[in-house]
């Protein structure tokens, strides 16, 4: 058991050593490279969500889900159609397609596929729009701020929970979905996110202090929700990981669940401040 844990930890570290610099590089490039990265992540996440849905429903074919993912992401990049109009068109199209199918439950089929398409694509779409926000490097700084605060929250929550979990607050954070999450870990994650935002404040002069610190607090407060939401879907499907795509980390949904959930929130926050 200990050997398996050490191998898993080594895989996680190696992926982080390669993946984090690559992500930062693509964020700084922006434009087409950043869009292509998000398109690949969206396709992988849709595929993983589709696999989860198969445990409970009989959604339309996978190729249709992937095709609609490409259409949604391309439209976020090009802006040819208003988002609400395209989403409405996708919803109506799936309703009509379900009329001609006779597998499983129509409610479960449509509900699972629409959840997959909307959750994955709107969240990654928000991240794409966040990168385009403002001028003079604001979008780049906002995406980097989001990543840094999420990573800081995750690392702080892990070590804080490991060292202090259950010592002061015996009640678990959300035992029904994640029995290992503790309030001490949550508070450590919140502190880590705020501390990371304070450091970013010194490195990102293009962003106001209100934006940076508010994002740090908000990310720290809500970041566990992204992980818990994915845990909810995985538990319902009866699986441990969404896939084995990323060694030591599981799938795209496992690794980017918090990024996905936080992206729209930071986008809304940046629009208000």
């Amino acid at each position: 058991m200990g050997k398996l844990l050490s191998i898993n930890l080594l895989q996680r570290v190696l992926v982080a050593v390669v993946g984090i610099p690559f992500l930062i590089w693509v964020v700084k490039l922006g434009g087409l490279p950043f869009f292509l990265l998000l398109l690949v992540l969206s396709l992988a996440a849709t595929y993983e969500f589709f696999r989860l849905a198969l445990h409970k429903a009989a959604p339309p074919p996978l190729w249709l889900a992937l095709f609609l993912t490409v259409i949604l992401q391309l439209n976020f990049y090009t802006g040819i159609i208003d988002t609400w109009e395209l989403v409405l068109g996708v919803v109506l199209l799936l309703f009509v397609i379900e009329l001609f199918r006779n597998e499983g439950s129509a409610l479960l089929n449509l509900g699972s596929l629409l959840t997959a398409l909307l959750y994955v694509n709107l969240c990654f779409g928000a991240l794409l729009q966040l990168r385009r926000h403002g001028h003079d490097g604001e979008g780049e700084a906002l995406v980097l701020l989001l990543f840094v605060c999420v990573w800081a929250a995750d690392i702080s929550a892990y070590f804080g929970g490991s060292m202090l979990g259950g010592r002061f607050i015996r009640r678990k954070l959300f035992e029904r979905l994640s029995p290992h999450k503790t309030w001490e870990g949550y508070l450590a994650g919140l502190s880590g996110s705020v501390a990371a935002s304070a450091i970013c404040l010194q490195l990102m002069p293009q962003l106001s202090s209100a934006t940076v610190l508010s994002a740090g607090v908000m990310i720290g407060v809500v970041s566990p929700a992204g992980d818990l939401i994915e845990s909810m879907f995985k538990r319902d499907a009866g699986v441990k990981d969404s896939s084995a795509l990323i060694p030591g980390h599981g799938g795209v949904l496992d690794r980017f669940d918090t990024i996905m959930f936080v992206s729209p929130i930071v986008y809304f926050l940046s629009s208000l401040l």
Side-chain angles (χ1 to χ4, degrees), residues 201-217:
L201 184 61
Q202 309 303 317
L203 303 174
M204 299 176 175
Q206 60 270 62
L207 300 179
S208 69
S209 57
T211 298
V212 174
L213 296 177
S214 297
V217 172

Side-chain angles (χ1 to χ4, degrees), residues 38-267:
L38 293 188
L39 177 60
V40 170
L41 292 175
S42 299
L43 287 168
T46 299
Y47 166 72
E48 292 172 357
F49 212 119
F50 187 90
R51 290 177 69 246
L52 294 179
L54 289 176
H55 288 82
K56 293 288 184 175
L62 174 61
W63 68 264
L64 178 61
L66 297 178
F67 173 74
L68 292 175
T69 292
V70 172
I71 295 300
L72 288 165
Q73 289 302 318
L74 276 174
N75 194 65
F76 274 119
Y77 184 64
T78 61
I80 295 176
I81 306 173
D82 285 343
T83 300
W84 78 270
E85 293 177 344
L86 181 58
V87 169
L88 179 59
V90 168
V91 171
L92 295 179
L93 172 65
L94 292 176
F95 282 0
V96 172
I97 290 174
E98 191 65 26
L99 282 175
F100 296 93
R101 302 179 72 245
N102 191 26
E103 298 178 62
S105 162
L107 288 173
L108 291 178
N109 297 345
L110 289 169
S112 60
L113 188 57
L114 283 173
T115 299
L117 288 172
L118 297 182
Y119 184 56
V120 169
N121 288 290
L122 293 181
C123 288
F124 279 122
L127 188 58
L128 178 63
Q129 298 308 312
L130 186 65
R131 177 60 180 81
R132 293 173 160 181
H133 180 81
H135 53 277
D136 297 330
E138 287 183 33
E140 175 189 327
L142 282 167
V143 174
L144 291 175
L145 173 67
L146 186 156
F147 282 154
V148 169
C149 287
V150 167
W151 292 334
D154 284 348
I155 294 170
S156 300
Y158 175 79
F159 286 106
S162 299
M163 293 184 292
L164 302 174
R167 293 192 179 186
F168 302 99
I169 306 174
R170 293 188 177 182
R171 183 181 179 86
K172 295 296 181 69
L173 178 65
F174 213 110
E175 191 168 8
R176 178 171 63 88
L177 295 177
S178 187
H180 299 298
K181 287 190 183 298
T182 63
W183 279 102
E184 289 87 349
Y186 172 75
L187 294 174
L190 172 58
S191 301
S193 179
V194 173
S197 69
I199 295 172
C200 289
L201 184 61
Q202 309 303 317
L203 303 174
M204 299 176 175
Q206 60 270 62
L207 300 179
S208 69
S209 57
T211 298
V212 174
L213 296 177
S214 297
V217 172
M218 188 65 69
I219 290 171
V221 169
V222 305
S223 61
D227 183 60
L228 289 170
I229 288 170
E230 201 223 347
S231 294
M232 173 178 67
F233 290 129
K234 289 192 297 185
R235 278 183 172 268
D236 193 36
V239 301
K240 182 179 182 296
D241 294 320
S242 59
S243 76
L245 181 64
I246 308 174
H249 292 269
V252 169
L253 287 176
D254 296 309
R255 185 62 274 168
F256 288 87
D257 50 3
T258 303
I259 297 291
M260 289 170 61
F261 184 80
V262 167
S263 293
I265 295 173
V266 176
Y267 175 73

